[in-house]
Amino acid sequence: MSTTTSTPRGGLGAWLRAPVPQSPFQARMQALYLGWRRLRGNPPALAGAIILALLLLMAAFAPWIATHDIYAQDLASRLQPPSAAHWFGTDDLGRDIFSRIVFGARITLYIATLAALIAAPLGLVIGTTAGYLGGWTDTILMRLVDVFLSFPSLVLALAFVAALGPGIENAVIAIALAAWPPIARLARAETLTVRGSDYIAAVRLQGASRLRIIVHHVMPMCIPSVIVRITLNMAAIILTAAGLGFLGLGAQPPSPEWGAMLSTGRQFVMTSWWIAAMPGCAILLTSLAFNLVGDGLRDMLDPRHG
């Protein structure tokens, strides 16, 4: 006796393209398949996804990819241009720049991912609560959002990290506190659209509490837009993290953080350009990849885009 999740005789392709799904699992798989087709049909987004996948692999296998010890100093080889021995050259202390960029990907992804994991839920909770409850709750929370948005994100992150002190963990907290207001505003706008829907009225008539409605019925409708927004914001998060590292308020030396490496290379930019150019290109490429993927996710997750 066949189960509802088994594939028909037509094969997996026919199962994924079936006009009427026979189970929730099949419906989810069809949604993923449709999203993959949209991503495959969007070359820039696909290129961004490939870059991010390579970046994740580089960070995961950094000890095997790096060609030199990232902390070993060799003053006899300082300020060497890119060569077969040192693919991206060496810095002012003779350290291999390629190896430091490889390990620096771990720090950059750690800061960006952790900041996003804090900012996205925080903005989602505040935005949906303000949008659904309305009244004085909406007024207070949105005025708080306006206060945060009145400052540039880097300036706000600088203020928080100056109060908390330098370091990666404090930089993550500061970046997250500066990144949640746009998420909250987006979630509120989505909630204002959803809360008047018939299914929300039906759930309310069944006696569901406000908390249950917000958590189980409003937030899931806002999550796709929040995912797209936080993905697009990852570029700004990475630039803010690099800015804090550049100013000495993020990861501390001798940590191979890209912003800190860029700060070290600025004094040699006219004579040894590779010291600043290599981490700068890494920041640029990673930010661009997140932007491209964010554009692709907008098409994949937003039901209004066919």
Side-chain angles (χ1 to χ4, degrees):
M1 185 174 183
S2 62
T3 63
T4 57
T5 57
S6 61
T7 58
R9 293 182 179 179
L12 180 62
W15 184 72
L16 291 173
R17 292 189 294 268
V20 179
Q22 301 300 314
S23 66
F25 174 76
Q26 184 180 1
R28 288 192 293 269
M29 292 300 100
Q30 286 183 339
L32 290 176
Y33 174 68
L34 180 60
W36 162 247
R37 289 186 59 184
R38 288 173 175 169
L39 179 63
R40 189 176 58 185
N42 188 338
L46 185 60
I50 292 174
I51 293 173
L52 290 183
L54 293 176
L55 186 67
L56 288 171
L57 290 175
M58 184 175 71
F61 297 100
W64 294 273
I65 296 176
T67 57
H68 295 75
D69 185 345
I70 60 174
Y71 299 115
Q73 300 181 12
D74 183 8
L75 297 181
S77 301
R78 64 189 300 267
L79 303 179
Q80 293 293 316
S83 62
H86 300 281
W87 296 347
F88 289 174
T90 60
D91 61 11
D92 58 320
L93 296 177
R95 297 172 297 191
D96 184 70
I97 294 177
F98 171 77
S99 301
R100 289 177 63 79
I101 286 180
V102 168
F103 274 92
R106 287 185 168 185
I107 301 175
T108 298
L109 291 177
Y110 171 79
I111 294 175
T113 303
L114 202 55
L117 290 177
I118 296 173
L122 180 62
L124 179 63
V125 170
I126 292 177
T128 53
T129 301
Y132 184 79
L133 297 181
W136 62 268
T137 303
D138 182 29
T139 301
I140 293 175
L141 292 178
M142 286 302 102
R143 295 300 77 74
L144 179 63
V145 169
D146 290 339
V147 170
F148 275 78
L149 289 177
S150 63
F151 297 95
S153 59
L154 180 57
V155 174
L156 197 59
L158 284 172
F160 283 121
V161 81
L164 296 172
I168 293 180
E169 289 75 16
N170 291 340
V172 168
I173 296 173
I175 294 171
L177 290 176
W180 71 265
I183 306 298
R185 176 165 285 183
L186 174 65
R188 176 182 178 270
E190 293 282 341
T191 303
L192 291 176
T193 303
V194 169
R195 72 176 184 179
S197 302
D198 292 340
Y199 80 95
I200 295 293
V203 172
R204 191 183 302 117
L205 289 174
Q206 291 176 356
S209 65
R210 290 181 173 181
L211 178 61
R212 181 176 180 82
I213 293 175
I214 293 174
V215 173
H216 293 280
H217 301 283
V218 176
M219 284 187 181
M221 298 300 296
C222 301
I223 286 177
S225 297
V226 169
I227 291 176
V228 172
R229 178 70 185 194
I230 198 64
T231 305
L232 291 171
N233 281 4
M234 290 293 278
I237 291 175
I238 290 173
L239 291 176
T240 302
L244 293 177
F246 184 87
L247 296 173
L249 298 174
Q252 300 298 299
S255 178
E257 197 272 327
W258 293 345
M261 293 174 63
L262 192 60
S263 176
T264 301
R266 72 183 189 278
Q267 56 184 316
F268 302 101
V269 69
M270 300 304 296
T271 57
S272 303
W273 55 268
W274 55 89
I275 301 179
M278 297 306 178
C281 289
I283 295 171
L284 172 64
L285 191 63
T286 306
S287 301
L288 178 62
F290 273 112
N291 279 331
L292 295 176
V293 171
D295 288 336
L297 286 178
R298 181 188 294 120
D299 297 334
M300 289 175 57
L301 299 179
D302 192 340
R304 290 167 294 187
H305 288 74

